[in-house]
Amino acid sequence: MECTLFVVDEPAVGSSSTRHGLRDEHRPRRPATICCGLVAGLLSGIFGVGGGFLIVPALTLFLHMDQRRAHGTSLAAVIPIAAAGVIGYALHGDLDLSYALFLILGAALGALVGTYLLSVLGGRTLRLAFAALLVAAALRLALPTPEATGHQELTIPLAAGLIALGAVSGVLAGLFGVGGGIVIVPALILFFGVTDVVAKGTSLLVILPTALVGTASNLRRGNADIGIAALLGGSGVLAAFLGVQIAARLNHTLSTATFAVLLLVASARLATTRERPARTTAE
């Protein structure tokens, strides 16, 4: 389904028909936004990521949203999508609450740092940095997933490592509007001995408070559109449940390769697309 958005005009001062700086008639077409939310939710459930890797390129490339605002809106949209995924994994008992607690501590602090960086970096810098992140994520997906070595008991060094891992994922979440699962999932498997499915479920659990903290910070700075985020997130909820159900049945190699190609295409588009300034109109 084609995703398009009319170029946004600057609203007249005091206009009662505006919310979040966008006129109702210029807001994204609902079918296009819902389409993006559904696909993001599906990928979230399958791969244990927040969905921002798809939402941000969709908002900037197809819905023509400002880069900074797209990152903040994506992080807000991730909240209901991640929540749906967490419920799905929890029903199967695929969560590690003890590990999640320390990850969340680091991620919440990292999200504050990430949202601050989002407010000071320029649009072109953000776009190129996000394109580089997509390439890194695609390359990571191309590598074989390591086997779990066995769940490790919590120790002080292990807890410190989890907090550090959470902080890295939190910065990525706050800055780029992604969940951080692309970092948490392989690290939990490789360094902490967590199984693939439990790592995905735990990653989504960590994303929830991280996205809440980051979104609150973004709203204070005006870097998120809650209306669009609600439509994206709401449409992605059911798809996230579906993604969890098919995660164990889908051919892992094929699905991972497809997702990696999608990330590379989005990265190339972001790196070569110039940001379109919004037109203004006289009162």
Side-chain angles (χ1 to χ4, degrees):
M1 182 181 296
E2 182 183 2
C3 296
T4 58
L5 175 66
F6 297 108
V7 177
V8 178
D9 289 339
E10 191 70 16
V13 176
S15 172
S16 61
S17 63
T18 62
R19 292 189 63 186
H20 306 293
L22 295 178
R23 289 186 177 184
D24 290 340
E25 64 268 28
H26 291 306
R27 299 187 76 79
R29 294 177 181 176
R30 289 194 175 190
T33 308
I34 291 172
C35 169
C36 295
L38 287 172
V39 177
L42 188 66
L43 295 177
S44 175
I46 294 174
F47 295 102
V49 297
F53 285 107
L54 177 69
I55 293 175
V56 171
L59 290 176
T60 56
L61 297 175
F62 302 116
L63 304 184
H64 302 161
M65 182 179 283
D66 168 79
Q67 190 73 35
R68 181 179 291 111
R69 199 172 183 83
H71 288 209
T73 301
S74 170
L75 189 61
V78 158
I79 295 172
I81 295 176
V86 167
I87 294 173
Y89 280 99
L91 291 175
H92 293 86
D94 294 325
L95 297 176
D96 191 315
L97 298 180
S98 61
Y99 278 17
L101 178 63
F102 291 98
L103 287 166
I104 289 170
L105 178 59
L109 296 174
L112 295 176
V113 176
T115 53
Y116 169 75
L117 293 174
L118 176 63
S119 68
V120 299
L121 294 178
R124 176 174 172 76
T125 300
L126 287 171
R127 186 168 64 254
L128 293 178
F130 189 79
L133 179 66
L134 292 183
V135 172
L139 292 176
R140 169 62 194 89
L141 288 170
L143 297 176
T145 301
E147 294 293 334
T149 57
H151 190 281
Q152 303 178 41
E153 294 297 325
L154 272 173
T155 61
I156 293 178
L158 186 67
L162 290 170
I163 292 173
L165 174 60
V168 172
S169 71
V171 171
L172 293 177
L175 178 58
F176 295 117
V178 300
I182 202 68
V183 173
I184 293 178
V185 172
L188 283 179
I189 297 172
L190 184 60
F191 300 113
F192 298 95
V194 179
T195 63
D196 178 68
V197 178
V198 173
K200 291 178 180 179
T202 304
S203 170
L204 286 175
L205 179 58
V206 174
I207 287 169
L208 273 176
T210 307
L212 285 169
V213 170
T215 297
S217 180
N218 281 327
L219 288 175
R220 288 195 298 270
R221 295 182 169 93
N223 288 335
D225 188 311
I226 290 299
I228 295 177
L231 191 56
L232 283 166
S235 60
V237 168
L238 292 178
F241 275 119
L242 178 61
V244 172
Q245 299 304 317
I246 66 177
R249 300 179 178 87
L250 194 64
N251 182 282
H252 180 74
T253 302
L254 177 61
S255 63
T256 300
T258 303
F259 191 28
V261 170
L262 177 63
L263 294 179
L264 290 174
V265 171
S267 174
R269 287 290 304 275
L270 282 171
T272 57
T273 301
R274 293 183 178 180
E275 189 171 352
R276 304 182 182 185
R279 292 201 309 260
T280 60
T281 57
E283 292 187 38

